[in-house]
Each structure stands twice: as structure tokens, then as C-alpha cells.
Amino acid sequence: MEMKTKKPSPSMDEWLKEAKLDPRYSEVGMFLVHNGTVRMTAKAKVRLGEEGTAPVTGMVFSYDETKVNAAIEETYKLKGVYYVRTWLNEGQLEVGDDIMYVLIGGDIRPNVIDALQFLVQKIKTECVTEIELN
């Protein structure tokens, strides 16, 4: 298996400029950005409360592009969602590296928050492989 090299992170300023050129921009009342990063605290401790977990030194991260694209298409079907963009890193990442960016544009706050939650959850649970390194 070939190890991918981590990618440079995108510019949110550029993403927002591009989003505002989209034909449906006039319907967007809000954008939300999610930026997931590699943290030092193990997932088992943060999510499950397990004590005694070793600090994370990095992560090996990969994703299935076809599944991510399908998740994006599902997100567009949610109420009030007019703009979706994602970026996912890959390869061996270090603590502090960006794992993922998700940008959602939609009509009103509740719809955009719900869409962001939906897409990030779907990506994290169905589209990626994360192996924490200790």
C-alpha cells in the first residue's frame, strides 16, 4: 500500500470568494465551516472517557472519494442547503495538522447547522479511515 503525502490546507478566504460566485449564492444567508484537526488526546478518552490512554503523536488518514461525493449529494437534498464544499487530507498527519474542511452555505442557521452536522458525521462514520498513532 502506497503512503500518500499530506496535502496543503485550503484557504477559507478563497473558498468563500468562490462560493459567492456560485449561481445560488443569492439564496445563501449563512456559511458554516468545520475544520477538523489532529488532536493529542486519543479518541477513546475524548469520546468514551477511557483513562490511561497514551497521547496521540499523529494519525494515518485516508478516505473514499466516491463515498464522500455521495455524502455531499445527500447533503444537497437537505432543506435550505445551496452550497457544499469539502477537502480531506491524506497520509501520515501530525498533531495540529488539518484533517478536513467542510463548508456549507444555506438559507437559515438551523438548516445550515443541521447540514454541517449531517455531512461531517457521515464523512467521519462512512467515508474515512483514521488510525491514531501513539
Side-chain angles (χ1 to χ4, degrees):
M1 180 174 117
E2 177 190 342
M3 177 59 75
K4 301 261 185 176
T5 304
K6 66 182 172 184
K7 303 185 280 193
S9 299
S11 161
M12 287 305 98
D13 287 341
E14 289 303 314
W15 273 27
L16 287 168
K17 284 179 192 173
E18 291 171 18
K20 291 175 181 180
L21 297 174
D22 187 270
R24 297 199 72 187
Y25 174 63
S26 63
E27 298 176 75
V28 173
M30 174 182 191
F31 285 102
L32 266 182
V33 174
H34 165 82
N35 175 210
T37 60
V38 180
R39 69 176 172 270
M40 188 173 65
T41 310
K43 188 184 294 188
K45 183 172 185 174
V46 174
R47 297 205 185 272
L48 306 174
E50 293 180 15
E51 294 300 324
T53 58
V56 171
T57 59
M59 170 186 290
V60 176
F61 186 83
S62 63
Y63 64 95
D64 182 320
E65 188 173 358
T66 301
K67 288 181 179 179
V68 172
N69 289 335
I72 291 168
E73 289 306 312
E74 274 189 76
T75 305
Y76 271 116
K77 294 176 183 174
L78 299 176
K79 182 179 177 187
V81 176
Y82 302 114
Y83 191 85
V84 178
R85 187 161 179 185
T86 64
W87 172 92
L88 287 87
N89 211 338
E90 57 191 341
Q92 187 160 336
L93 310 179
E94 300 170 20
V95 171
D97 282 346
D98 293 322
I99 300 171
M100 150 177 33
Y101 278 94
V102 175
L103 174 65
I104 303 279
D107 56 1
I108 58 174
R109 185 176 57 252
N111 291 341
V112 178
I113 291 169
D114 288 349
L116 183 71
Q117 181 84 321
F118 172 84
L119 182 54
V120 170
Q121 181 69 17
K122 195 152 199 65
I123 289 171
K124 294 282 287 177
T125 59
E126 298 178 18
C127 306
V128 304
T129 302
E130 300 173 305
I131 302 167
E132 292 180 336
L133 304 174
N134 304 94

